[in-house]
Amino acid sequence: MKKYFIFMVMALSGAITFPLNAQRISSRLTDGWEFKQGGVESQAAWQNVKIPHDWAITGPFDRDNDLQCVIIEQNNEKEATWKTGRTGGLPFIGKGAYKRKIYIPEQEGRHYTIVFDGAMSNAQVSINGHHAITWPYGYNSFYVNIDSLVHQGENELLVQLENFDKQSRWYPGAGLYRNVHLVETDRVHVPVWGTYITTPIVKDDYAVVNMCIEIEGAKQSDEWPYGETINIMTAIYSPDGKEVSKDSTKYIARGQGLTQKFIINNPELWSTDSPNLYTAKTLLLRNDKVVDTYETKFGIRTLEYIPEKGFFLNGIPTKFRGVCNHHDLGPLGAAINEAALRHQVALLKEMGANAIRTSHNMPAPELVRICDEMGMMLMIEPFDDWGFRPKSENGYGKVFNEWAQRDVTNMVRQFRNSPSVVMWSIGNEVPSQWGQPGMDELLMLRNLVNSLDPTRPVTCGMDQIGSVISNGFAAALDIPAFNYKPQYYEMIYNRLPNRLVLGSETASTVSSRGKYMFPVKPKSDALYDNHQSSGYGTEYCSWSNIPDLDFAADDDYPWMIGQFVWTGFDYLGEPSPYDTDAWPNHSSMFGIFDLASLPKDTYYLYRSQWRKDSPTLHILPHWNWEGREGEVTPVMAFTSYPEAELFVNGVSQGRRKKDTSVAASKIRDGWKEYKDYTPEHRAEDATNLMNRYRLIWDNVVYQPGELKVVAYDADGKPVDETSVKTAGKPHHIVLTPNRTSLTADGEDLAYITVQIADKDGNIVPTDSRKVEFSVKGAGSFRAAANGDPTSLEPFHKPQMSLFSGAATAIVQTSDNAGDIVFEAKAKGVKPAKLTITAL
């Protein structure tokens, strides 16, 4: 009999606010910090900074920053390869120190905790010269009670950090790059991450809510009644703020937790389309006086992972249309910003994505809260290195044995209430996939996660298919997840007992926005003198493939529960295929969006498959090809329509229809057992499948003018069209903001796309002139980027060269309401100005 696992959960962890009259005060420590590069012992001067802060993002870029030598073994021979730009070419290695004053109003009966959302890295925290806590891993949240270290009045908080060379395979950032909080409570209180909500029963007409609450600080005794009596009152509020259930319980402290149970009638479920959130407000009363209040946001929904049938969200079959994301925010670096995260999630949702894998690190709590609020599912992952055969000399493997249990415990406890979290990953491509020590590590991590949260499945991104299929590694996971293995999905399904398969990393298609290489054909590890990759979406690395192979697997196999594309956004570091001493290259080319958050052509390919509720019709390449007159210049349309006709200057180039007869099984035709899958096999499969998902005109001859495509519906009727024209002489700057109204909180951002147009308004896709920016009024310039992985221009200066005719400038509000006036100027074209309102 086949095993049949159904995981059903709900939840969400707290975005927490504390009214003063409830005796809990939470302060975000953003201002008042001083920073010293090189650590407290350096001769550098202390400088005033605001947290979050990334000390390395201002550069400069340099080939020698964290230059790494990697030993590659092939055919029993070892070869040393230098990796340039592996971690972005930014100066993140070294020490940094942060200090500030914290004021303690009173101590008697009060409890003080400092919470760090993340500190990069090897944090040493002290209060008034006394050690408070050490935390090596820069991505994890941690906290420490400081009652014994503080006194009434002013106290000094000191945080010392140090990054080592060869500790990362991408840009990790440097400093207090996430938020720091001071939490003041009564002696009796709910501790940090002290609630856990589940819904064991979810029906159409009611849901059962279980809420486990931890209580700290209540006195215990050896005499009857053996402990202090605390009254615990919890009310649950619906998404529109109405009280829908409540409970009051008398609690006698004996060191135990407490579980309250509720019935919610006619529950409003959380989903990616309707991210309904409930709030549980818990009060602790001692002698009829409120001593603490704690809010827990949560959602009600069911998760079912059904063998052979797939993944079901609230009973509805759902494919993961996901992306993997690193944590950096492009030109902002690693310093967290909520507006930047919301911008990323909004762009992904517009494309049709419904999930993010936090690869390969614990996310900022702001990202999890945003995904809860905006309806984006999450696979949360802590690290990509274990203790057995670690990948990097000073990476996580160095501390795994001592710290993994503590790090994973914090991760799960912090985020297990979030409805957006639908799966836990415990690693990625770990060398531990080979050998018994790796199995021991897997079981330790899997069992730990299951003990902390049995409501969600556990997975791990695997790449060593020959090992994990045969040694039990893959079968030990709730969900087997594979990186870049569409050619083996059917074999995996047939040989593993799980009867479900997930693509934890897919595609790794490399492309540069607006750059097109000829001839156009699928190819791996293509290298060019300009250090770019083709925007046609036909190039990939030796281990990866084009998106079309993964689309076919998703469409054809019900047991294939979806994919997480590598990656949603370009990120700093890992500039494959130009990471082998091909400097300058400082950022990846895997992204669907570039480092400036601008969409590449592949954005429209994914949108055409993932946004069934909104039509997509996109044509490529651009049509400014001076010097290619008379040469073959292939044209593609990425569209949700089944058929289209192409016209060049009004002359039809023929109609093309998607070939839906090519099945996913053709990817591995004749491959019954594991074998090497060569780049030639990938290219052949890609060529076969491209016509299923793209409309292609291979023999178009370039001539200046208009390129137009007319789309037809399933009945052959024309329903849509789009065109691109050969742009003339550059004439003026065009500014397009993502928002025209911001919040005057000193943190909100507007992303402004900067382009050049001819006198008729046609965008010039080849312009590369430098544009200068100025900002006046209730805001300031924050950063700029152009998406060029070879650019060494600093992000923090108010100027940027255009790349493929575009760049992004980012404006940040002040604390004052008013107008923000942004202006862009460049030689040879008319300037442009726009006004953004901060309220």
Side-chain angles (χ1 to χ4, degrees):
M1 181 177 180
K2 296 177 181 177
K3 292 184 178 179
Y4 186 90
F5 293 108
I6 298 181
F7 299 87
M8 301 183 68
V9 273
M10 63 57 83
L12 174 211
S13 105
I16 309 166
T17 57
F18 305 113
L20 294 178
N21 60 7
Q23 301 300 305
R24 177 184 283 256
I25 304 171
S26 181
S27 305
R28 188 158 62 96
L29 305 180
T30 57
D31 298 311
W33 289 91
E34 294 179 86
F35 167 70
K36 180 183 279 194
Q37 184 84 39
V40 293
E41 66 273 16
S42 78
Q43 298 302 308
W46 290 96
Q47 54 181 296
N48 295 325
V49 297
K50 186 175 181 179
I51 303 300
H53 176 245
D54 179 353
W55 84 57
I57 191 58
T58 56
F61 293 103
D62 194 300
R63 173 188 180 276
D64 293 332
N65 283 330
D66 201 30
L67 186 64
Q68 296 187 21
C69 182
V70 176
I71 305 299
I72 298 176
E73 185 171 353
Q74 193 171 14
N75 298 325
N76 296 321
E77 294 183 3
K78 293 183 178 180
E79 180 183 353
T81 301
W82 287 102
K83 297 283 189 178
T84 59
R86 186 172 174 83
T87 51
L90 288 166
F92 72 92
I93 297 168
K95 295 181 179 180
Y98 296 83
K99 67 177 182 178
R100 65 157 289 161
K101 303 294 184 182
I102 55 174
Y103 183 76
I104 302 299
E106 59 178 312
Q107 281 194 280
E108 186 175 354
R110 304 301 288 163
H111 179 84
Y112 295 92
T113 300
I114 293 181
V115 181
F116 293 85
D117 291 343
M120 190 64 68
S121 58
N122 297 292
Q124 299 283 343
V125 181
S126 60
I127 306 286
N128 296 326
H130 300 287
H131 181 261
I133 193 170
T134 295
W135 208 274
Y137 197 36
Y139 292 109
N140 207 356
S141 297
F142 61 96
Y143 61 93
V144 58
N145 166 245
I146 59 172
D147 292 349
S148 63
L149 303 177
V150 296
H151 52 256
Q152 190 169 339
E154 278 195 348
N155 298 259
E156 183 172 82
L157 168 63
L158 175 67
V159 184
Q160 300 186 76
L161 303 168
E162 183 173 9
N163 288 337
F164 301 111
D165 60 352
K166 301 177 183 177
Q167 80 170 44
S168 182
R169 297 186 298 111
W170 55 85
Y171 177 68
L176 287 178
Y177 72 112
R178 292 180 179 172
N179 281 302
V180 182
H181 313 263
L182 176 64
V183 182
E184 176 189 351
T185 66
D186 186 80
R187 160 177 67 84
V188 177
H189 62 277
V190 178
V192 176
W193 315 323
T195 60
Y196 177 37
I197 294 181
T198 59
T199 51
I201 300 174
V202 178
K203 304 286 187 181
D204 290 339
D205 54 344
Y206 73 93
V208 175
V209 176
N210 288 351
M211 182 175 182
C212 300
I213 307 170
E214 299 175 25
I215 310 296
E216 288 187 355
K219 296 177 181 178
Q220 299 180 43
S221 171
D222 292 332
E223 300 180 359
W224 177 260
Y226 304 117
E228 193 170 9
T229 298
I230 307 295
N231 287 323
I232 301 176
M233 300 172 59
T234 298
I236 295 180
Y237 296 86
S238 65
D240 61 359
K242 297 178 181 178
E243 184 181 291
V244 292
S245 192
K246 61 184 176 181
D247 181 78
S248 180
T249 306
K250 182 175 290 187
Y251 169 84
I252 299 177
R254 297 289 292 158
Q256 80 284 21
L258 175 75
T259 298
Q260 293 180 312
K261 298 179 182 291
F262 308 86
I263 292 288
I264 295 179
N265 293 318
N266 303 312
E268 300 176 64
L269 302 187
W270 185 95
S271 70
T272 55
D273 293 327
S274 300
N276 295 304
L277 296 175
Y278 286 80
T279 304
K281 297 183 179 181
T282 301
L283 301 180
L284 306 187
L285 294 88
R286 184 177 67 245
N287 299 326
D288 295 326
K289 176 185 177 182
V290 174
V291 294
D292 193 21
T293 183
Y294 194 98
E295 288 191 5
T296 308
K297 292 278 189 180
F298 68 94
I300 300 173
R301 48 100 173 107
T302 64
L303 306 178
E304 299 171 283
Y305 293 84
I306 304 177
E308 301 187 9
K309 295 184 179 298
F311 167 62
F312 293 74
L313 176 63
N314 299 327
I316 299 172
T318 303
K319 294 277 187 178
F320 286 110
R321 305 187 302 271
V323 302
C324 300
N325 269 351
H326 273 314
H327 70 301
D328 79 64
L329 296 170
L332 303 181
I336 204 66
N337 179 279
E338 184 168 332
L341 289 172
R342 286 189 181 276
H343 182 53
Q344 285 193 342
V345 174
L347 289 173
L348 292 172
K349 284 189 71 72
E350 171 59 27
M351 182 178 70
N354 63 9
I356 295 172
R357 174 185 180 224
T358 68
S359 43
H360 310 287
N361 55 267
M362 296 87 166
E366 289 88 350
L367 174 62
V368 181
R369 175 165 53 82
I370 288 167
C371 289
D372 289 334
E373 295 170 356
M374 295 181 67
M376 181 70 74
M377 294 184 289
L378 283 170
M379 177 204 298
I380 291 186
E381 184 172 272
F383 33 61
D384 79 330
D385 214 357
W386 296 353
F388 181 55
R389 296 178 181 171
K391 298 177 185 178
S392 302
E393 183 177 320
N394 289 311
Y396 191 76
K398 193 172 183 178
V399 299
F400 177 89
N401 292 332
E402 181 181 356
W403 284 91
Q405 293 192 42
R406 281 177 280 186
D407 280 324
V408 169
T409 296
N410 277 16
M411 176 188 77
V412 177
R413 282 175 51 84
Q414 184 176 16
F415 299 127
R416 63 186 175 180
N417 287 329
S418 291
S420 60
V421 180
V422 298
M423 190 184 310
W424 303 108
S425 171
I426 54 175
N428 173 71
E429 295 184 359
V430 292
S432 304
Q433 291 166 89
W434 299 91
Q436 185 57 43
M439 179 61 76
D440 294 339
E441 291 172 335
L442 181 150
L443 294 175
M444 180 274 290
L445 292 170
R446 186 203 65 184
N447 294 342
L448 174 62
V449 173
N450 284 337
S451 70
L452 295 166
D453 176 33
T455 68
R456 297 171 176 87
V458 175
T459 190
C460 179
M462 297 173 286
D463 64 331
Q464 299 299 314
I465 187 168
S467 172
V468 300
I469 291 289
S470 59
N471 68 7
F473 192 100
L477 297 162
D478 297 324
I479 304 294
F482 291 87
N483 296 355
Y484 317 111
K485 296 294 181 286
Q487 65 272 24
Y488 303 126
Y489 284 158
E490 194 170 346
M491 180 193 70
I492 292 166
Y493 166 73
N494 288 324
R495 292 184 60 173
L496 288 179
N498 316 75
R499 311 302 285 173
L500 292 173
V501 180
L502 173 66
S504 41
E505 284 180 25
T506 61
S508 266
T509 303
V510 289
S511 64
S512 301
R513 178 180 51 79
K515 298 296 181 183
Y516 304 94
M517 313 305 183
F518 306 98
V520 179
K521 61 180 181 179
K523 65 184 77 169
S524 66
D525 294 329
L527 301 175
Y528 304 95
D529 291 342
N530 62 3
H531 290 193
Q532 305 292 347
S533 295
S534 179
Y536 278 104
T538 56
E539 297 179 356
Y540 43 89
C541 294
S542 60
W543 64 84
S544 57
N545 52 264
I546 62 172
D548 312 57
L549 277 69
D550 300 297
F551 291 149
D554 284 349
D555 287 345
D556 293 355
Y557 300 137
W559 41 262
M560 182 68 202
I561 63 175
Q563 61 170 305
F564 289 83
V565 180
W566 192 267
T567 54
F569 290 80
D570 280 344
Y571 55 92
L572 290 163
E574 293 192 320
S576 301
Y578 295 101
D579 59 346
T580 54
D581 211 7
W583 186 259
N585 276 80
H586 68 252
S587 60
S588 75
M589 300 184 187
F590 302 118
I592 299 170
F593 295 88
D594 68 18
L595 206 67
S597 296
L598 297 173
K600 303 180 187 179
D601 289 292
T602 50
Y603 164 86
Y604 300 96
L605 182 59
Y606 280 100
R607 192 185 192 279
S608 70
Q609 296 304 307
W610 288 358
R611 278 295 302 273
K612 299 303 183 184
D613 62 326
S614 175
T616 300
L617 182 59
H618 174 72
I619 192 170
L620 66 149
H622 64 69
W623 212 234
N624 272 60
W625 292 105
E626 185 177 357
R628 282 191 65 84
E629 290 83 0
E631 293 188 44
V632 172
T633 305
V635 174
M636 295 186 186
F638 296 161
T639 180
S640 53
Y641 297 110
E643 186 178 5
E645 184 174 9
L646 179 69
F647 297 86
V648 176
N649 294 333
V651 178
S652 175
Q653 307 297 301
R655 289 171 70 154
R656 298 288 186 271
K657 191 172 185 177
K658 292 179 182 177
D659 184 0
T660 57
S661 66
V662 184
S665 59
K666 295 293 184 181
I667 294 174
R668 54 172 301 279
D669 189 25
W671 290 64
K672 303 302 181 184
E673 298 294 333
Y674 172 71
K675 297 179 181 179
D676 289 333
Y677 190 69
T678 67
E680 289 74 22
H681 290 125
R682 263 191 193 86
E684 182 180 348
D685 288 343
T687 300
N688 291 335
L689 280 162
M690 279 168 56
N691 290 314
R692 179 173 174 179
Y693 296 102
R694 315 177 190 212
L695 300 177
I696 304 172
W697 292 263
D698 285 317
N699 298 312
V700 178
V701 175
Y702 174 68
Q703 54 180 294
E706 182 185 46
L707 195 66
K708 182 174 76 171
V709 64
V710 176
Y712 298 88
D713 64 15
D715 297 324
K717 297 179 181 178
V719 289
D720 203 353
E721 68 176 53
T722 189
S723 66
V724 57
K725 295 180 180 180
T726 304
K729 183 180 178 181
H731 181 264
H732 61 275
I733 296 175
V734 177
L735 302 177
T736 308
N738 72 319
R739 303 163 64 198
T740 57
S741 181
L742 303 177
T743 301
D745 60 0
E747 298 179 356
D748 205 1
L749 303 175
Y751 283 68
I752 302 169
T753 302
V754 182
Q755 296 171 295
I756 303 290
D758 66 14
K759 62 181 178 60
D760 296 321
N762 298 306
I763 298 300
V764 183
T766 55
D767 205 291
S768 60
R769 77 190 67 215
K770 183 170 290 186
V771 183
E772 297 180 349
F773 313 120
S774 63
V775 181
K776 297 180 181 179
S780 60
F781 172 82
R782 174 66 188 273
N786 59 15
D788 180 2
T790 71
S791 172
L792 301 184
E793 295 180 59
F795 301 129
H796 65 288
K797 293 186 177 180
Q799 59 185 32
M800 184 59 60
S801 298
L802 302 181
F803 175 66
S804 296
T808 297
I810 304 174
V811 171
Q812 182 166 313
T813 62
S814 67
D815 293 322
N816 301 314
D819 286 341
I820 303 171
V821 180
F822 176 85
E823 187 171 11
K825 297 180 179 180
K827 291 182 180 180
V829 293
K830 290 185 178 181
K833 185 183 295 186
L834 64 82
T835 300
I836 297 171
T837 303
L839 302 174

